[in-house]
């Protein structure tokens, strides 16, 4: 068989079908795992979870928790804490912009089906795209940006950040993959904000 015939087989889909099938199977496996983990998280019915997670969600709604933390750091902390607070707010806003104004508009994904969620919190879900989790993106963006300047404060902020991520799946508002994507956006946003001044200086000099 000639080289052209080999190429022709690939163009016709004979050789390229296997990678496509592998990708399809992988995506199917991820979807099944997503749904399985969502059911398990939503079924977590301990008294602690039923009290703590809604309180965390309420505090994090519209980023009130992170704004409050930043204001407190700036008011009672020193220069390092004020710098960390400014970085945290910038990281949070950048993450929100990427997650809510960009990614949610590019990829429409329905929220987890209501029949997967065994509690009433599912009635309070927003109508926007499930992917990615904007709450998680903002929380991680703030926390990582703060930790780059003030590691101890960042470590403290990591506790409510993890609870926010868990709550989004427990409430049926997101799949775990939405939360993972939001966390990745948050990390990237924090790093971008942290290194942006240096990069701008290099470009201007």
């Amino acid at each position: 068989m000639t080289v052209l015939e080999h190429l022709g087989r690939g163009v016709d889909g004979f050789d390229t079908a296997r990678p496509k099938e592998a990708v399809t199977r992988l995506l199917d496996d991820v979807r099944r795992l997503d749904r399985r983990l969502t059911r398990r998280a939503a079924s977590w019915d301990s008294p602690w979870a039923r009290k703590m997670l809604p309180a965390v969600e309420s505090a994090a709604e519209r980023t009130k928790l992170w704004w409050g933390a930043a204001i407190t750091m700036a008011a009672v902390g020193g220069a390092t804490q004020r710098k960390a607070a400014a970085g945290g707010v910038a990281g949070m806003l950048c993450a929100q912009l990427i997650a809510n104004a960009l990614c949610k508009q590019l990829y429409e994904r329905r929220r987890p089906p209501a029949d997967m969620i065994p509690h009433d919190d599912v009635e309070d879900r927003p109508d926007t795209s499930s992917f990615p989790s904007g709450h998680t993106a903002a929380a991680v963006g703030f926390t990582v940006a703060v930790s780059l300047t003030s590691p101890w404060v960042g470590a403290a902020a990591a506790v409510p950040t993890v609870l926010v991520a868990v709550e989004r799946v427990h409430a049926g508002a997101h799949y775990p993959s939405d939360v993972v994507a939001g966390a990745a956006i948050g990390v990237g946003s924090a790093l971008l904000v942290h290194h942006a001044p240096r990069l701008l200086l290099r470009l201007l000099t």
Side-chain angles (χ1 to χ4, degrees):
M1 185 177 289
T2 65
V3 174
L4 290 177
E5 288 173 332
H6 277 293
L7 292 174
R9 291 203 319 171
V11 172
D12 291 338
F14 183 81
D15 291 337
T16 57
R18 290 180 181 177
K20 290 179 181 178
E21 290 175 359
V23 170
T24 300
R25 285 196 298 271
L26 176 62
L27 291 176
D28 288 341
D29 289 341
V30 170
R31 291 189 189 99
R32 282 194 290 270
L33 178 62
D34 238 1
R35 295 173 72 87
R36 190 179 306 121
L37 292 175
T38 300
R39 285 193 183 94
R40 287 187 179 181
S43 300
W44 186 25
D45 198 31
S46 72
W48 179 88
R50 298 299 295 165
K51 290 181 180 180
M52 179 65 70
L53 295 181
V56 169
E57 191 277 336
S58 178
E61 188 67 25
R62 301 187 183 279
T63 64
K64 297 190 298 289
L65 176 61
W66 315 117
W67 280 108
I71 291 170
T72 301
M73 291 164 61
V76 304
T80 300
Q81 279 68 41
R82 287 192 291 272
K83 181 180 178 181
V89 169
M92 175 186 70
L93 294 177
C94 180
Q96 279 191 305
L97 180 64
I98 295 173
N100 297 330
L102 180 61
C103 294
K104 283 184 181 291
Q105 311 307 316
L106 294 176
Y107 183 69
E108 181 68 28
R109 186 185 195 185
R110 292 183 178 180
R111 304 280 172 171
D115 58 11
M116 291 175 58
I117 314 302
H119 51 71
D120 297 333
D121 294 348
V122 70
E123 298 175 0
D124 298 328
R125 299 182 305 178
D127 297 327
T128 54
S129 174
S130 176
F131 183 90
S133 169
H135 284 74
T136 306
V140 174
F142 178 87
T143 299
V144 173
V146 166
S147 66
L148 291 172
T149 300
S150 182
W152 288 108
V153 177
V159 176
T161 293
V162 171
L163 292 176
V164 166
V166 171
E167 187 278 334
R168 301 315 289 158
V169 182
H170 179 267
H174 291 285
Y175 292 101
S177 59
D178 300 331
V179 170
V180 171
I185 291 170
V187 172
S189 299
L191 293 174
L192 176 63
V193 166
H194 185 72
H195 294 293
R198 238 174 294 170
L199 293 175
L200 286 174
L201 286 175
R202 287 182 183 179
L203 291 174
L204 295 175
T205 56

